[in-house]
Amino acid sequence: MSFGYGLSKPQDRPGGLKMALLSPRARRYTRRRRRLGRNAFRLNAFSPRENSWRGVGVETAGAIIPGRLLAAAGCLLAMAPNARAAEDTAALRAEIAKLKATITVLETRLDAVERSSGQARVEGPQSPAPLLKPARPAAAASASRTLPRQTFGDELTGVARPDTRPPPNDPELKGFLQIPGTETTVKLGGFGKVNAIYDFSPAGNPDKLVTSAIPIGAGGGDNANIDANATRFSFDLRRPSSLGPLRFYLENDFYGGAGTTAFRLRQAHGQVGNLYGGYGYSAFTDSDSFPETLDDEGPGGEMLLRLAGLRYIWTFADGATATFAIDDPSSDITLAAGQRAYQPMPDLTLALRLEQDWGHLQGGAVVRSIGYAAGADDHSETGYGVSLTGLVKVNGDFVMGSFAYGEGIGRYFNDLGGKGYDAVIAPNGDVELLTAYGGYLGYTRHWSPKWRSNLVGGGVVIDRDANLAASAYRSGTYGALNVIWQGSPQFTVGVEALYGRLELQNGLDADVTRLQTSIKYDFVK
């Protein structure tokens, strides 16, 4: 029989008579265990032999091992992982030292590059760069002498100019954003425009006052109309290049359908330095001299035509320029069955321009071939046209005007384009060119920085011709008077009274009076 004391049961804790039942050696180690406390622990895995470990009392239910022996064993167990950890720490420190050396070398090289480019290096954390940041295109440094001017309809922004100079309605090229990492700047522009129109008699076109569309003999009948077809979107891209400043321009509105709202491409062209190519205003057109109207048509005597072409601009001293253009030809002629338009050469245009502090003058000339073909036969004639346009500043106000004359240039007049008035086909099959001439005068009065008015009058005439139908166009007259309030650069509202008159070759005529109110919101200004 052996005596032991199970320390795992609280009711068997040593004390009193129970201590006497232990062997003397077991009692000594029991007392030592109490004194050592946490320095001794109980081990239940040994067999119940009292003297199986030197200096250890072993009970039948377990054995007690002193804390000093356990501490020594723990040190031995800890030595192996600590040695490996020391090796890993030394390796990490070596890697960190290598990375620090690499960073030092890169910083030295970066400092040298920044010093050579003249840029100062900024220490410390930096705010994240914006995706796009405002920028002024390099072309803005090439100042234009065209007089700064705002217009309701904006026929100024998309015009091709020497060295891609800024337009007169945006001389500082505001609203451009630079694409990060490039020298390219872009601008999304345009405006929203709403027209409220009331006609006191039939006008033919409910959206624009086109004098050639006024119906003859239609009787009375007023008409109201509200539209937003003039709303416009544009995309303007500019950047420097080794060949000079580069520009690409895209513009559209919603006059693509008769009486409906449909997309229409107005301009899409590119320019590098003074070399231009694409679809836009003809070089024979001087839109800088157009009068300001709320009506989206304008005077019929304007030389307004957009077409595809190539051109080059030469610049001279004292604000003088010369432009030569090769444009897409089109014979605007009424054809019979089996006939098709024929034009053996492109339209060739030369424009000379002078810009000064008082305004500008422009003279233009165009030569073109107009004809038709039927089967294997073709017939054509060479047409021509000349024009003089300009805008002058007088005591803070503007006076503008235009006059054009030619044979076979009906296509270029605002009131006649697309209606077959370049030429007629004689009974013998020959092409007879039609003589046309027209123009306008306009005056802009600035009452205050926010208020202005415009008075406009103009027209176009086609000479009488025996080969023209009696119901063909003879002349058109156009007049407008408006008051405009520009409450801010982004918001403009105006009221306008319009008058139009059409006369036919047989002498019959008709006229129309229109009232129009327009509101315009510029997207970027």
Side-chain angles (χ1 to χ4, degrees), residues 84-106:
R84 175 174 293 179
E87 293 177 359
D88 292 343
T89 301
L92 288 174
R93 287 176 177 172
E95 292 294 333
I96 292 172
K98 290 180 181 180
L99 290 175
K100 288 182 176 179
T102 303
I103 292 173
T104 301
V105 172
L106 293 175

Side-chain angles (χ1 to χ4, degrees), residues 196-206 209 214-215 218-225 495-500 511-517:
I197 297 170
Y198 184 83
D199 294 325
F200 291 91
S201 58
N205 188 314
L209 185 56
I214 297 174
D222 50 5
N223 182 68
N225 178 53
V495 179
E496 184 171 76
L498 293 154
Y499 173 80
D511 59 7
V512 62
T513 302
R514 169 177 288 184
L515 290 179
Q516 177 171 333
T517 298

Side-chain angles (χ1 to χ4, degrees), residues 14-223:
L17 181 61
K18 291 184 180 181
M19 286 289 292
L21 297 178
L22 297 175
S23 66
R25 183 173 295 176
R27 287 197 297 271
R28 288 195 301 271
Y29 282 103
T30 299
R31 295 188 187 99
R32 182 179 298 173
R33 185 191 62 79
R34 289 177 179 176
R35 291 194 302 269
L36 294 176
R38 287 178 298 177
N39 292 333
F41 71 93
R42 179 168 161 221
L43 192 63
N44 290 318
F46 295 96
S47 62
R49 297 178 58 186
E50 293 184 2
N51 298 317
S52 61
W53 287 70
R54 181 180 297 179
V56 178
V58 180
E59 303 175 338
T60 57
I64 301 172
I65 302 175
R68 285 176 293 180
L69 182 59
L70 296 176
C75 291
L76 292 175
L77 292 173
M79 286 178 64
N82 285 344
R84 175 174 293 179
E87 293 177 359
D88 292 343
T89 301
L92 288 174
R93 287 176 177 172
E95 292 294 333
I96 292 172
K98 290 180 181 180
L99 290 175
K100 288 182 176 179
T102 303
I103 292 173
T104 301
V105 172
L106 293 175
E107 288 178 340
T108 302
R109 293 179 179 176
L110 181 60
D111 289 338
V113 171
E114 289 173 343
R115 282 194 300 270
S116 63
S117 62
Q119 299 177 350
R121 183 176 165 200
V122 180
E123 300 292 342
Q126 302 297 312
S127 300
L131 181 61
L132 296 175
K133 59 182 181 180
R136 188 181 184 190
S142 179
S144 174
R145 301 185 69 174
T146 305
L147 294 175
R149 178 177 174 230
Q150 299 297 326
T151 62
F152 213 106
D154 186 12
E155 301 290 349
L156 307 173
T157 301
V159 177
R161 304 180 187 277
D163 298 316
T164 69
R165 292 172 184 168
N169 59 336
D170 187 16
E172 298 180 1
L173 292 179
K174 296 180 180 179
F176 280 84
L177 301 174
Q178 184 171 359
I179 299 177
T182 73
E183 297 180 274
T184 301
T185 59
V186 296
K187 176 181 178 179
L188 299 178
F191 55 81
K193 186 185 178 192
V194 178
N195 299 323
I197 297 170
Y198 184 83
D199 294 325
F200 291 91
S201 58
N205 188 314
D207 303 321
K208 301 186 288 186
L209 185 56
V210 182
T211 56
S212 60
I214 297 174
I216 303 293
D222 50 5
N223 182 68

Side-chain angles (χ1 to χ4, degrees), residues 326-331 342-349 366-371 380-384 411:
I326 303 174
D327 292 329
D328 179 41
S330 177
S331 294
Y342 169 71
Q343 48 277 328
M345 76 173 197
D347 290 7
L348 304 177
T349 304
V366 60
V367 177
R368 53 196 308 258
S369 180
I370 301 146
S380 65
E381 291 290 337
T382 300
Y384 73 92
R411 177 193 188 199

